[in-house]
Amino acid sequence: MSDTLLKVQDLKIGATVYPPGEKPHDIEIVHGVSFEVEKGKVLGLIGESGAGKSTIGLASMAYGRGGVKITGGEVWVNGRDILKTSNSDVRALRGGEVTYVSQSAAASFNPAKKIMDQVTEAAILQGKFSKKEAERRAVELFRKLGLPDPENIGNRYPHQVSGGQLQRCMTALALCPEPDLVVFDEPTTALDVTTQIDVLMAIKEAIRDTGVAALYITHDLAVVAQVSDDILVLKMGDMVEYGSVDQIINNPQEEYTKALVSVRSIEHAEKTPTPSPILKVQNITARYKGTNFDVLKNISVELHPGQTLAVVGESGSGKSTLARVITGLLPQGNGSVHFSGRDLSKDLAGRSKEDLRELQMIYQMADVAMNPRQTVGTIIGRPLEFYFGLRGAEKRKRIVELLDEIEMGEGFIDRYPAELSGGQKQRVCIARALAAKPKMIICDEVTSALDPLVADGILKLLLDLQKIEDVAYLFITHDLATVKAIADSIAVMYQGEVVRYGGKTDVLSPPFDDYTDLLLSSVPEMKLGWLEEVIANRKMESAGN
Amino acid sequence: MSLLLKLLAQRIALGLLLLFLVSILIFAGTIILPGDVAQQILGQSATPEALANLRRDLGLNDPPLQRYFSWLGGLLQGDLGTSLTSGKDIAESIGKRLGNTLFLAFWAAIISVPLAILLGLIAVRYRERWPDKLISAVTLASISVPEFLIAYVAIFFVSVRLRWAPSVTTINDGMSLGEKLHTISLPISVLTLVVLAHMMRMTRAAILNVMQSAYIETAELKGLRMFTIIWKHAFPNSIAPVVNVVMLNLAYLVVGVVVIEVVFTYPGMGQFLVDHVSKRDIPVVQACGLIFAAVYIGLNMVADIVSIVANPRLRHPK
């Protein structure tokens, strides 16, 4: 008898799909995956969306989300095939032997119940602990996971704690019944980088201290490299590569793994500022209606023609609000927006058609930024009609040109958004913005919802288009890797203020202010032991102070 | 806590305002009603002089605005006026009838509300399977058939053929609670059938909506039984819509039982109202209308208050 805890053999998973205009039918989404997890070890499941990693993780609890069905293979937990046991055995397994940490703790906690009741529920129900014991254990876990006021935090409701804290509570929920295996499904993806690093460390220490085994699911190889012993690379439901974390990171064999490891390697040399900026934001102060709190405090930045200004910060730092002020959606309280040689009206209604044309925008969620009932041709053709009065053959010719520019081609002109992939949708949105021949485009988190490789493609396209069209980008993002890849100048925002601003090289070179330092050092790096290094450095620094 | 209190105070103030507006509507409505109470009292053979005298005595010649305010003033002091036809104090004669109506509504609610919610929970537990379909089919059928028809069918089988319960449901103070309940068992059953479907389907829909949430998946992955999940995790989050529809039906049990009361000759408000409409006894009709409106507004206000209080974000602010 070896120490094998979880053994998955030739696992096949199917789902019913409902394609538009076709009859619903079953397809296979995981095609025969096999792996093993030993007691106390962590296996990282990595891949892009659609790779089947969450589906496989849930299959280890004999669970299929929605219409997902396990169609073949074996899943052995603690020496028994859980796909062949009774319903009551499966219930005893879930929440007892195997537990689950989901991506969004905010959605995964019941808003109507106290955190403590939810954390201890499974342990009490499975008869592992009495209510008292379970609560004592939960407090201990809260403390171990670095939650503030561990004695009392359980008496709060989920909306009363922050996102990062709730994610740690979710980890406590999973660890409370002393499971043998925890499935972590993208537990830090929804968090800011500075929060992610704390949660990541808390999870890693909890795994080490409790000796629990784990499946760690993520699309971010740099993150999984910090917590895993082994890594399984998945693509479209197939196994690509399976090996130790050292081998996968330092010596990947498959092309796909190599691409994942070398993702975000775009190089872009910084351009020098010109004498006449296209956009000059001066001393902007803004607040939302009905509040008495400034979301933006005295913001001044410049953007030069054909260049990229990256505005970087965490959620709530005010970066999207800045975009709303520049576009006129939120009139500023004080300050001015100077664009293309003229002052822009505070109010959207006061802006000319030319103002609107020269300043375009691309959004994070490409699929909600397009009318699902319009074809790609109609979507891109609309600004051509509206701004330039193009019709018929002339319009079509220009649409095809734009489709060629975004590397998609004429074949897509009659397609609907639902028939496109995430990356293609974002490309169509880029083409629609370019159709207006703008001088500047505001890109609001345009790659955040995309898989790393797809996001890379979009960034490369944006850089190429900048050369051809000489368009300036105001690039809003929380992702520093993206910033490094495409920016000419950078503004770091924190709590409504620009804390650091200048050329890319200057901003990213020491000496740093405290916040930029924290932000930069929190971005996971693709090397083993990075997490421990950062934590050790921070402890040393705080000890030195 | 202060935000919660503010919301509650707003809601209650709104309810009172609404009641005031309704009083205007009721008064205006009864004024434009056709018919003449003096004619009704004195009969077709009355002389014009006698009619004019009676109208003057009853105050029917005063301007409407003046009549409204004297009526409203009386209401605020708890004086509903005197009946034009019988000359009795309205509050006194309505009080007894209202008590009877509330008695019937109370027992119908005691049975139908828990039953509807339980059936809703069962329908969710076995959704798209035979128990769900059976519950839906039966409750929908019972709501689709006119209630007087159900009532007469029930009288025919239960009272006439089986002789289990009386068809004339007159109750009086001399009866014990058991006797009373036996007497009104048929109207209770019919009312239950009438209001069941609405509440049950809303419970089902509200819970199914919540069942899509990620926290339901969390509960499933804790190894909880389906019924535990529905009851402990889904139901608390669907209270607001369920309470709303429950209150609407409770209001119906008070306000809408006219037909059932007439069929079973039950001495409640509904029958009382119908009698006095046919006699053109305006003050009684106004009083009944206002009481019905108050019940409706009051119960809906309770529903809103429960929805506000059920929201943990309002009960436990950051």
Side-chain angles (χ1 to χ4, degrees), chain B residues 123 126-138 204:
Chain B
Y126 299 101
R127 62 180 169 278
E128 304 301 327
R129 303 199 346 230
W130 71 262
D132 179 21
K133 288 178 181 164
L134 182 71
I135 291 171
S136 283
V138 170
R204 179 181 180 274

Side-chain angles (χ1 to χ4, degrees), chain B residues 116-127 131-132 135 227 230:
Chain B
I117 289 174
L118 182 69
L119 288 176
L121 296 175
I122 292 173
V124 173
R125 170 65 185 87
Y126 299 101
R127 62 180 169 278
D132 179 21
I135 291 171
F227 210 81
I230 295 171

Side-chain angles (χ1 to χ4, degrees), chain A residues 39-89:
Chain A
K39 281 187 179 137
K41 296 282 183 189
V42 179
L43 172 69
L45 292 183
I46 181 141
E48 308 194 296
S49 51
K53 45 195 197 305
S54 288
T55 311
I56 293 169
L58 289 169
S60 69
M61 305 177 80
Y63 186 81
R65 204 175 257 166
V68 169
K69 290 178 291 286
I70 297 165
T71 51
E74 295 166 6
V75 178
W76 294 79
V77 176
N78 277 331
R80 65 178 198 285
D81 186 351
I82 61 166
L83 302 184
K84 294 198 176 68
T85 54
S86 69
N87 271 348
S88 60
D89 277 357

Side-chain angles (χ1 to χ4, degrees), chain A residues 186-483:
Chain A
E186 305 259 14
T188 63
T189 307
L191 303 175
D192 283 321
V193 275
T194 50
T195 318
Q196 163 172 284
I197 195 165
D198 295 333
V199 175
L200 212 52
M201 199 63 214
I203 288 176
K204 182 162 186 170
E205 281 175 357
I207 290 174
R208 194 187 58 210
D209 295 350
T210 54
V212 70
L215 276 182
Y216 198 99
I217 297 164
T218 175
H219 68 278
D220 192 340
L221 197 50
V223 165
V224 86
Q226 309 311 319
V227 292
S228 303
D229 299 296
D230 295 311
I231 289 179
L232 171 61
V233 183
L234 294 158
K235 186 187 180 188
M236 306 294 283
D238 281 313
M239 292 173 68
V240 176
E241 198 167 354
Y242 181 27
S244 72
V245 62
D246 181 45
Q247 182 253 306
I248 298 284
I249 301 293
N250 296 325
N251 188 20
Q253 301 297 309
E254 299 292 325
E255 281 308 314
Y256 183 70
T257 316
K258 285 178 190 164
L260 283 181
V261 171
S262 64
V263 76
R264 288 173 180 166
S265 52
I266 297 174
E267 295 286 333
H268 169 68
E270 180 184 336
K271 293 178 209 139
T272 50
T274 58
S276 52
I278 177 101
L279 174 80
K280 202 169 175 182
V281 171
Q282 272 178 317
N283 309 104
I284 290 281
T285 305
R287 61 175 60 176
Y288 284 100
K289 236 187 193 161
T291 64
N292 51 3
F293 171 77
D294 283 332
V295 192
L296 294 179
K297 295 164 200 154
N298 205 19
I299 304 282
S300 301
V301 288
E302 284 178 6
L303 172 59
H304 297 274
Q307 299 196 4
T308 303
L309 166 67
V311 178
V312 60
E314 301 185 342
S315 48
S317 62
K319 50 193 195 303
S320 289
T321 307
L322 179 60
R324 290 175 67 85
V325 169
I326 295 171
T327 51
L329 290 171
L330 177 72
Q332 68 266 30
N334 288 312
S336 63
V337 178
H338 196 71
F339 175 72
S340 190
R342 56 188 185 269
D343 271 327
L344 287 184
S345 154
K346 279 186 184 186
D347 212 337
L348 191 62
R351 298 195 178 179
S352 70
K353 202 169 177 178
E354 201 61 6
D355 291 339
L356 301 181
R357 181 185 70 75
E358 291 189 340
L359 184 54
Q360 292 290 312
M361 191 148 178
I362 312 172
Y363 304 88
Q364 176 173 2
M365 307 298 276
D367 35 358
V368 293
M370 288 189 285
N371 186 335
R373 304 263 174 218
Q374 290 183 345
T375 62
V376 168
T378 314
I379 290 168
I380 301 177
R382 175 65 190 149
L384 297 176
E385 268 172 46
F386 182 73
Y387 292 117
F388 306 110
L390 294 188
R391 309 240 174 251
E394 232 184 331
K395 184 171 89 175
R396 191 179 169 91
K397 185 169 153 267
R398 181 76 184 117
I399 294 172
V400 173
E401 270 175 30
L402 285 162
L403 280 172
D404 284 338
E405 276 190 31
I406 57 167
E407 297 157 7
M408 282 173 68
E410 195 174 355
F412 283 90
I413 199 162
D414 291 321
R415 300 264 206 106
Y416 286 90
E419 299 170 86
L420 306 178
S421 71
Q424 287 169 338
K425 284 179 199 164
Q426 198 57 286
R427 281 168 193 257
V428 172
C429 288
I430 292 172
R432 176 174 62 182
L434 284 177
K437 288 201 165 290
K439 289 187 175 162
M440 174 181 148
I441 300 178
I442 297 177
C443 305
D444 191 356
E445 300 271 14
V446 289
T447 56
S448 304
L450 300 173
D451 286 317
L453 290 177
V454 180
D456 256 18
I458 296 287
L459 292 180
K460 278 185 191 129
L461 175 71
L462 284 171
L463 284 176
D464 290 345
L465 290 172
Q466 188 167 53
K467 276 178 211 143
I468 303 169
E469 306 272 346
D470 199 36
V471 59
Y473 297 136
L474 182 83
F475 204 95
I476 294 166
T477 181
H478 68 278
D479 182 7
L480 278 151
T482 309
V483 173

Side-chain angles (χ1 to χ4, degrees), chain B residues 96-101 257 261 265-273:
Chain B
K96 188 134 185 48
R97 296 297 192 119
L98 184 62
N100 285 343
T101 291
V257 289
E261 285 183 1
T265 52
Y266 182 80
M269 283 275 282
Q271 232 188 9
F272 189 66
L273 174 65

Side-chain angles (χ1 to χ4, degrees), chain A residues 270 309 488-492 500-507:
Chain A
E270 180 184 336
L309 166 67
D488 296 298
S489 52
I490 300 176
V492 181
R500 194 174 171 91
Y501 172 60
K504 175 165 70 172
T505 326
D506 289 341
V507 168

